[in-house]
Amino acid sequence: MQENTFVVRPAEQRDEPSIADLVVEGFLDKFRPVFGKRMERSTKIMERWVRLEHSLGGVDSLVIEGVSPPELVASVGVRTGSSDDEALAHAIWETLRQNLGFFYASWAASLLSYPRYAASSSEAYIERLVIAGEYRRQGLARTMLDAAETLARESGKRTVGLHVSGSNLPALKLYEACGYEEVSRQRSLLTGYFLGIKEWLYLQKEL
Ligand SMILES: CC(C)(COP(=O)(O)OP(=O)(O)OC[C@H]1O[C@@H](n2cnc3c(N)ncnc32)[C@H](O)[C@@H]1OP(=O)(O)O)[C@@H](O)C(=O)NCCC(=O)NCCS
C-alpha cells in the first residue's frame, strides 16, 4: 500500500517555511480573498504564524516528507500544550501589521479570527491539516489524523476537536470516515460573504 512508504515525523524549526508553503497552497481559496493583491506576502506571514504557534501556542506540527526531501507533502498542527493566548494574539497582530499595514491587517485579522475556539485542557485541537495536491487520495490525511490522535493520547487528552468549513466536502467526508462527529456549528456573515464559508462545523472524536 502506498501510504506505508510515507513516514510521519515531528516538525522541526527548519520545516516551518515548507509548512507555510503547503498551508498557503492548500487553503488558497481562503487566503486569496484575505490577502488580495498582497498575496505574495502570505507565505512569509504564515511562516511566522506557524513559528509563533510552536513557540507560544502549545502547538506541535507533524509532517510527511516526499520522495525527495526536504520537500514536505503533508502537515498538520496539533495543540496539546497550554497556549499563551494574549501573547500569541499580540504577536500575530504585529506580524500582520508589519507586513500589511494597519488597514489591511485589521481586515485580515477579522477574517482569520474564524472559526473561534475555546480550548479545553482535556482536548487536543487539530488545525491546518493539508496534503499537497498531487499526493491526495492516497490515505495520507488518514495517516496524519492517526498520528495526531496518537500524540493526543500520549499527552493525556480524552478528545480531539477540529473545525471544518461546511463547504469543504473532501474534508467533511474524511472526518466522517475517521469517526469525527459534529458537536456544534458557528455561522458567520463575514466569512460567508467574503470567503464563501457560511458555516464552520466543530467536530470531535473520543479517544
Ligand atoms: C481534505 C484533505 C486533507 C484530504 O486529504 P487526502 O490525503 O486526499 O485524504 P485521504 O486520501 O486520506 O482520504 C481519506 C478519506 O477521506 C475522504 N475523502 C478525501 N478526499 C475526498 C474527496 N476529494 N472527495 C470525497 N471524499 C474524500 C474519503 O472517504 C477517503 O477515503 P477513500 O479514499 O477510501 O474513499 C485534502 O484534500 C486537502 O489537503 N485539502 C486542502 C486543505 C483542507 O481542506 N484541509 C482540511 C481542513 S479542515
Side-chain angles (χ1 to χ4, degrees):
M1 294 253 307
Q2 182 101 37
E3 63 260 37
N4 291 339
T5 64
F6 293 101
V7 177
V8 183
R9 66 163 173 81
E12 296 166 18
Q13 195 169 339
R14 67 182 162 93
D15 297 316
E16 285 163 357
S18 305
I19 294 175
D21 283 341
L22 265 180
V23 171
V24 169
E25 190 61 35
F27 294 96
L28 260 189
D29 53 342
K30 184 174 174 192
F31 286 120
R32 270 216 186 92
V34 172
F35 294 108
K37 291 181 189 148
R38 292 155 188 81
M39 196 59 206
E40 83 288 351
R41 292 174 221 173
S42 60
T43 310
K44 188 175 165 203
I45 292 170
M46 186 47 60
E47 184 182 330
R48 177 83 182 130
W49 191 306
V50 169
R51 183 157 300 165
L52 289 168
E53 281 187 335
H54 290 163
S55 58
L56 295 172
V59 174
D60 289 311
S61 290
L62 301 171
V63 295
I64 294 178
E65 283 176 9
V67 280
S68 55
E71 180 206 21
L72 296 183
V73 299
S75 79
V76 66
V78 191
R79 191 191 301 170
T80 56
S82 57
S83 170
D84 186 343
D85 287 341
E86 205 171 311
L88 182 63
H90 177 73
I92 287 176
W93 164 252
E94 278 304 309
T95 301
L96 291 171
R97 194 186 57 75
Q98 283 161 14
N99 283 280
L100 301 173
F102 183 84
F103 178 78
Y104 282 101
S106 307
W107 157 254
S110 308
L111 285 172
L112 294 172
S113 69
Y114 289 90
R116 306 256 160 89
Y117 174 67
S120 130
S121 60
S122 60
E123 176 157 291
Y125 186 69
I126 291 182
E127 54 185 39
R128 54 174 168 73
L129 169 64
V130 61
I131 312 298
E134 62 273 35
Y135 289 84
R136 290 182 190 165
R137 299 311 297 262
Q138 299 178 37
L140 290 191
R142 276 183 202 269
T143 303
M144 290 302 264
L145 283 178
D146 279 351
E149 290 162 17
T150 300
L151 179 62
R153 241 178 251 112
E154 287 170 358
S155 309
K157 304 297 179 186
R158 290 201 302 270
T159 57
V160 261
L162 56 86
H163 280 93
V164 56
S165 74
S167 53
N168 190 344
L169 295 182
L172 286 167
K173 289 271 181 207
L174 164 74
Y175 296 132
E176 188 190 351
C178 293
Y180 286 76
E181 289 178 1
E182 182 179 335
V183 175
S184 60
R185 289 179 184 223
Q186 249 171 78
R187 291 192 173 78
S188 163
L189 288 176
L190 189 72
T191 64
Y193 190 79
F194 291 105
L195 305 182
I197 302 175
K198 292 187 186 133
E199 285 193 318
W200 298 90
L201 278 58
Y202 172 50
L203 311 184
Q204 206 177 47
K205 180 175 175 177
E206 304 275 338
L207 290 172

